[in-house]
Amino acid sequence: MNTEKIIIFDTTLRDGEQSPGINLDAGEKVEIALMLEGLKVDVIEAGFAVSSPGEFDAIKAVADVVKDSTICSLSRAVERDIDLTAEAVSGAASSRIHIVLATSPIHMKYKLQMTPENVLEHAVRAVAHARRYSEDIEFSCEDASRSEPEFLARFVEQVIKAGATTVSLPDTVGYATPYEYGKLFTYLRDVVPNADKAVFSAHCHNDLGMAVSNSLEATRQGARQIECTINGIGERAGNASLEEIVMALHTREDFFRCQTSVETRRLTAASRLVSEITGFVVQPNKAIVGRNAFSHQSGIHQDGMLKNPLTYQIMTAAEVGADEYRLVLGKNSGRNGFRMCMRSLGVEFGSDADLDRAFSRFKDIADQKASLCDEDLLATVVGMEALSRESHIA
Ligand code: KIV
Ligand code: ZN
């Protein structure tokens, strides 16, 4: 099977840090960056160099220690910003300058207060300036998904001609649907004459919960880089989540025909580290890294899992570095799951009658409580005879 390599561009330390309530110091950025390097992400966007002296120093610190991933910093399309950005990443073994300028009518008119021609001129000048420092230049057409396609095509052609090696088409406000977002890539790759000279990149926000789907659809339409964050943290509703993208491409390689270099077994640890450092708790039902992602509670599911885990799991917990799947007991659980959980606590039932009696007690407790602890389970067999010698019931 022919597969395409997808470059994973992690922006946890830049767009992720733009989440209201997150502020990472240099030490924390370095710790996360080293984890990202171990995860084998291709590009780490370490920050926005011009935003503060502390941010500049933090990017420099990351650039100095990371050896295996390209280190990138965001910059406005302004020459003095680019100079500072280039300096911040200059210590890296491999560095990239990432320039952003908006291309949608609403951003150009109200935010930039510039004409489209003026914006285009600015962009070309900025890219040419950045090329003095690096051959690896990314240009982001901010709000690309709400830009006029014909203007965007002309714009992309010019920034590639000026030396941009990666062109990103952000869905900055999380507005696009997968069909529309994918079509934007098909269109630009078709009509831009020098499209083959740059890597096209997807950058999606999650305002309508479509960031991951949009990013994945982009790969089907020719995007070869995806920008994402650990746990999907980022502005407003966040960015596309790295772990979901990586595992979707990995698990459905038959469909997407794409691969990443990410060490999937480190995803759970990566998620926990980012959660711990940022204080952003991961919701229990979060795909891939949520506490319940590999837990099964209902009787029908537990029974299936005990017979063959493939009945209710499309990937193993081990693949993402999580503990083995868990059977969690609740009021929907069945006898088989109950017996297995009791066995893991050292309780073997001597007879079916004992099991029935304990199971009935268990249902009474489960009706009252959303989650049961080991003590609740052990209470179901208190006073019973004929438990196995492993039993530690008083
Ligand atoms: O969402 C966005 O458009 C961005 C740019 C700054 C790249 O994050
Ligand atoms: Zn963004």
Side-chain angles (χ1 to χ4, degrees):
M1 178 169 59
N2 265 352
T3 55
E4 296 282 337
K5 152 94 180 170
I6 298 297
I7 298 165
I8 293 293
F9 175 114
D10 179 277
T11 182
T12 304
L13 299 179
R14 198 278 297 170
D15 226 345
E17 198 196 16
Q18 285 177 218
S19 307
I22 297 183
N23 183 355
L24 304 170
D25 63 26
E28 291 167 332
K29 285 209 177 200
V30 165
E31 194 176 349
I32 292 175
L34 290 172
M35 172 277 292
L36 292 170
E37 182 184 33
L39 203 55
K40 293 200 178 2
V41 307
D42 302 283
V43 184
I44 297 172
E45 184 163 57
F48 186 17
V50 79
S51 64
S52 75
E55 178 77 344
F56 176 87
D57 291 342
I59 296 168
K60 238 178 162 348
V62 168
D64 286 346
V65 296
V66 172
K67 298 290 167 249
D68 295 335
S69 309
T70 295
I71 301 302
C72 164
S73 167
L74 184 65
S75 173
R76 292 179 302 185
V78 173
E79 294 192 358
R80 66 174 184 285
D81 284 18
I82 292 169
D83 296 338
L84 202 77
T85 302
E87 195 187 332
V89 296
S90 61
S94 161
S95 64
R96 173 180 293 186
I97 297 172
H98 179 191
I99 301 167
V100 62
L101 193 57
T103 51
S104 65
I106 188 166
H107 276 237
M108 291 190 290
K109 181 169 178 195
Y110 294 101
K111 186 183 76 173
L112 302 176
Q113 301 185 333
M114 287 161 74
T115 65
E117 291 315 310
N118 212 224
V119 172
L120 180 48
E121 246 172 62
H122 239 78
V124 166
R125 225 179 308 129
V127 172
H129 186 72
R131 278 300 295 242
R132 292 164 40 176
Y133 294 108
S134 172
E135 290 186 353
D136 188 348
I137 306 296
E138 173 164 341
F139 195 95
S140 277
C141 309
E142 190 186 12
D143 208 15
S145 54
R146 294 193 300 169
S147 301
E148 284 170 357
E150 295 73 22
F151 173 67
L152 195 57
R154 205 151 56 80
F155 192 95
V156 168
E157 180 183 353
Q158 292 306 316
V159 293
I160 295 175
K161 199 164 151 206
T165 44
T166 300
V167 172
S168 180
L169 305 173
D171 182 27
T172 302
V173 289
Y175 180 73
T177 63
Y179 176 73
E180 293 164 330
Y181 195 57
K183 236 175 44 175
L184 184 61
F185 284 81
T186 321
Y187 168 74
L188 291 174
R189 291 179 64 244
D190 275 354
V191 303
V192 172
N194 54 0
D196 60 323
K197 304 278 186 302
V199 170
F200 279 75
S201 179
H203 177 111
C204 298
H205 281 268
N206 208 28
D207 300 67
L208 292 174
M210 294 191 279
V212 169
S213 303
N214 283 343
S215 306
L216 293 171
E217 181 57 21
T219 67
R220 285 174 21 90
Q221 309 306 335
R224 289 294 170 261
Q225 175 175 285
I226 298 185
E227 306 184 7
C228 44
T229 61
I230 301 286
N231 297 336
I233 61 172
E235 285 272 4
R236 307 181 308 280
N239 287 59
S241 137
L242 181 146
E243 55 280 3
E244 292 178 26
I245 283 166
V246 166
M247 288 313 289
L249 293 176
H250 180 72
T251 308
R252 295 307 313 274
E253 194 181 331
D254 61 317
F255 179 75
F256 291 110
R257 299 192 182 277
C258 290
Q259 278 179 337
T260 73
S261 319
V262 169
E263 288 276 355
T264 64
R265 284 168 201 273
R266 297 189 179 207
L267 287 170
T268 300
S271 163
R272 290 191 184 146
L273 179 73
V274 168
S275 174
E276 231 169 74
I277 291 180
T278 60
F280 273 34
V281 175
V282 174
Q283 72 193 63
N285 59 324
K286 165 86 172 62
I288 317 297
V289 292
R291 180 164 36 86
N292 291 348
F294 296 92
S295 301
H296 305 266
Q297 205 226 61
S298 84
I300 295 172
H301 289 213
Q302 290 181 344
D303 187 48
M305 285 297 294
L306 290 168
K307 288 170 177 155
N308 182 342
L310 292 176
T311 52
Y312 287 103
Q313 273 191 185
I314 55 167
M315 48 199 158
T316 64
E319 277 177 282
V320 302
D323 295 335
E324 203 35 84
Y325 75 82
R326 291 186 309 147
L327 300 185
V328 179
L329 292 182
K331 70 174 181 183
N332 301 313
S333 302
R335 200 175 305 263
N336 210 5
F338 175 70
R339 190 207 318 256
M340 293 309 288
C341 287
M342 294 304 282
R343 184 171 289 161
S344 74
L345 293 175
V347 177
E348 276 304 343
F349 292 99
S351 66
D352 282 352
D354 275 350
L355 169 62
D356 288 349
R357 202 143 53 92
F359 186 63
S360 150
R361 288 179 186 172
F362 154 72
K363 284 281 179 176
D364 287 343
I365 302 172
D367 253 342
Q368 319 293 323
K369 296 179 98 171
S371 64
L372 283 78
C373 59
D374 289 354
E375 284 68 32
D376 291 323
L377 298 181
L378 294 173
T380 63
V381 289
V382 166
M384 274 186 201
E385 305 289 328
L387 299 172
S388 87
R389 59 182 167 72
E390 284 174 291
S391 166
H392 46 275
I393 312 301

